[in-house]
Amino acid sequence: MVATDLSQFNNPWYKPGNRVKILCWYFVNVLFFINPLNPFMGIKLKLLRLFGARIGKGVWIKPGVNIKYPWLLSIGDYSWIGEKVWIDNLDSVTIGNNVCISQGAMLLCGNHNYKLPTFDLIVKPITIEDGVWIGAQSTVCTGVTCKNHSILTVGSVATKDLEEKGIYQGNPAVKIRDRRIGSVETWPAASFRQ
């Protein structure tokens, strides 16, 4: 039986950017993004753009966010990135307009080929289309597209594409129903009255 041998791990083909740029971003990321003591949105957005990210208008990035490579990141207009979100964009991550990525969610563009003893790196892009909601503590895996207005509920794991306006739950996430935007849900209205 052949065993995994991580001492043989070597992926010279993977070059996400200039080493100096990567090193500079590492310190900027630690000081201004991962650091929960920096609530200043304007500084974060300027730094992301300086490092090559494409950022739309009205974007909110909360404290504690970890972004691997901003030059592989695109965020549309009026999208929100919640506290402690991890964008591990070893490949491109495209986030559309009016997207909400809630606290502690992870976008993981990398994986490993477990069939090889060298555990080779696999990278694929992630696309989050317009109006999507990625719930708190949920994970979007390598190569997944979350189509327009889909929802990945709290703590769920998307290993395959999410259909437009589908609500997904579980690990792996499965569609549980359709999202109806503009419909009036039955709420316990009496509990909101004083």
Side-chain angles (χ1 to χ4, degrees):
M1 179 173 118
V2 178
T4 300
D5 183 0
L6 295 181
S7 70
Q8 300 300 309
F9 180 81
N10 184 8
N11 290 283
W13 60 268
Y14 183 69
K15 293 180 177 32
N18 175 292
R19 288 183 181 203
V20 173
K21 185 178 184 180
I22 291 170
L23 182 64
C24 290
W25 172 252
Y26 172 81
F27 289 105
V28 168
N29 193 31
V30 168
L31 292 172
F32 293 96
F33 289 85
I34 298 171
N35 180 354
L37 301 177
N38 178 23
F40 304 108
M41 196 79 55
I43 292 171
K44 292 180 201 177
L45 298 178
K46 285 179 184 175
L47 287 168
L48 283 172
R49 289 181 181 116
L50 179 68
F51 276 89
R54 291 169 306 285
I55 307 292
K57 60 186 175 186
V59 171
W60 282 82
I61 298 180
K62 294 292 194 165
V65 172
N66 186 2
I67 299 168
K68 182 73 100 183
Y69 302 126
W71 48 93
L72 297 175
L73 178 63
S74 176
I75 304 174
D77 297 338
Y78 304 105
S79 289
W80 303 342
I81 311 296
E83 292 90 343
K84 297 185 180 178
V85 165
W86 182 15
I87 301 174
D88 191 27
N89 57 332
L90 298 172
D91 202 324
S92 66
V93 167
T94 304
I95 298 169
N97 302 316
N98 302 296
V99 170
C100 177
I101 301 179
S102 295
Q103 305 88 326
M106 296 192 303
L107 307 181
L108 304 176
C109 288
N111 204 339
H112 294 277
N113 188 340
Y114 63 86
K115 296 177 182 177
L116 296 177
T118 52
F119 212 51
D120 289 4
L121 182 64
I122 299 168
V123 296
K124 293 180 183 174
I126 288 174
T127 303
I128 312 291
E129 294 182 354
D130 295 348
V132 170
W133 180 11
I134 304 298
Q137 302 293 323
S138 60
T139 303
V140 178
C141 294
T142 309
V144 168
T145 296
C146 300
K147 296 187 179 169
N148 286 327
H149 297 90
S150 58
I151 296 175
L152 183 63
T153 64
V154 172
S156 297
V157 179
T159 58
K160 293 183 171 40
D161 292 354
L162 308 186
E163 294 175 13
E164 185 171 327
K165 294 184 181 175
I167 299 175
Y168 289 79
Q169 184 176 50
N171 181 6
V174 294
K175 185 175 178 184
I176 57 170
R177 65 179 168 273
D178 290 320
R179 180 179 185 183
R180 291 180 182 83
I181 299 174
S183 66
V184 178
E185 299 287 333
T186 305
W187 289 89
S191 64
F192 293 99
R193 296 185 187 133
Q194 296 294 327

